[in-house]
Amino acid sequence: MKQQCYETIFRRLRASIQSPQTELIYHTPFELLVAVILSAQATDISVNQATKQLFKTANTPEQLLDLGEKGLKPFIKRIGLYHTKAVYLLKTAQQLIEHHGGQIPDNRAQLEALPGVGRKTANVVLNTLFDKPLIAVDTHVFRVSNRLKLATGKTPLQIEQGLIKSVPKKYLKDAHHLLLLHGRYVCKAKKPLCQQCTLRDLCNYF
């Protein structure tokens, strides 16, 4: 794909998506980290429903630890893998207090050292909180990228590396959310809304 085509695609996405940002609801860096950890294999809607109540009770590492596993699980029990996620969240809260003064670290190595935080989660946090030009590849970004041939591959890392090389620099900061929201609402997995898509003339899938 020619660089001019990348420019056209992201210009159109930016024009059609007015607020390219996460739909997870948070007010503090720690709340975002908790929400992103919970969002693995879960919808943003289900996470927001859980955290709406959770954050009223505990929205700091110290408060989360005070809840303990028994107190935390009822808040997140409707989210997939909640047993494992409860353990991850408590261990992460403990590590943040012990090693980072309760603050969210701003580098990949320290983030990925936290329980429940992999490359995708780290990229979301670094991009959203610290304005790093990184792309977190979830199922939506993976699907849209392959369909549009923006970057092709069989693994999220291949897609991420391809997009980082190809997306025009001025769109890199927002690229993750532009592709994610386009995939969530237009380029859906089972029934893509191709006739409503502003990119259909550039799309091999269409």
Side-chain angles (χ1 to χ4, degrees), residues 101-129:
Q103 302 301 306
I104 308 302
D106 63 354
N107 72 78
R108 179 186 302 284
Q110 291 179 331
L111 280 169
E112 290 187 10
L114 298 171
V117 177
R119 186 177 184 87
K120 184 183 76 172
T121 297
N123 281 355
V124 172
V125 171
L126 291 169
N127 175 269
T128 304
L129 293 181

Side-chain angles (χ1 to χ4, degrees), residues 12-102:
R12 291 184 188 178
L13 287 175
R14 191 64 185 83
S16 63
I17 300 172
Q18 299 303 312
S19 297
Q21 57 191 7
T22 182
E23 292 185 313
L24 294 170
I25 298 172
Y26 71 97
H27 299 95
T28 70
F30 181 68
E31 286 185 359
L32 176 66
L33 179 60
V34 169
V36 178
I37 291 174
L38 289 174
S39 71
Q41 300 182 48
T43 65
D44 285 2
I45 292 174
S46 67
V47 172
N48 288 336
Q49 289 173 339
T51 56
K52 181 179 181 180
Q53 299 305 318
L54 172 61
F55 292 156
K56 289 178 181 179
T57 301
N59 74 335
T60 68
E62 293 82 4
Q63 290 172 346
L64 204 66
L65 284 176
D66 286 343
L67 273 182
E69 193 172 332
K70 186 176 180 180
L72 174 58
K73 284 184 177 180
F75 288 104
I76 63 173
K77 63 183 179 181
R78 292 185 177 85
I79 296 175
L81 306 175
Y82 78 94
H83 290 289
T84 301
K85 291 175 181 178
V87 174
Y88 283 159
L89 288 174
L90 292 170
K91 288 183 177 180
T92 286
Q94 186 69 50
Q95 287 194 26
L96 288 174
I97 292 170
E98 291 179 354
H99 303 296
H100 305 288

Side-chain angles (χ1 to χ4, degrees), residues 147 194-195 197 199-206:
R147 283 180 176 176
C194 295
Q195 295 300 332
C197 180
L199 306 176
R200 61 183 179 275
D201 59 317
L202 302 172
C203 182
N204 293 302
Y205 182 82
F206 176 71

Side-chain angles (χ1 to χ4, degrees), residues 147 186-194:
R147 283 180 176 176
V186 180
C187 194
K188 301 178 182 181
K190 294 183 179 180
K191 294 182 179 180
L193 306 180
C194 295

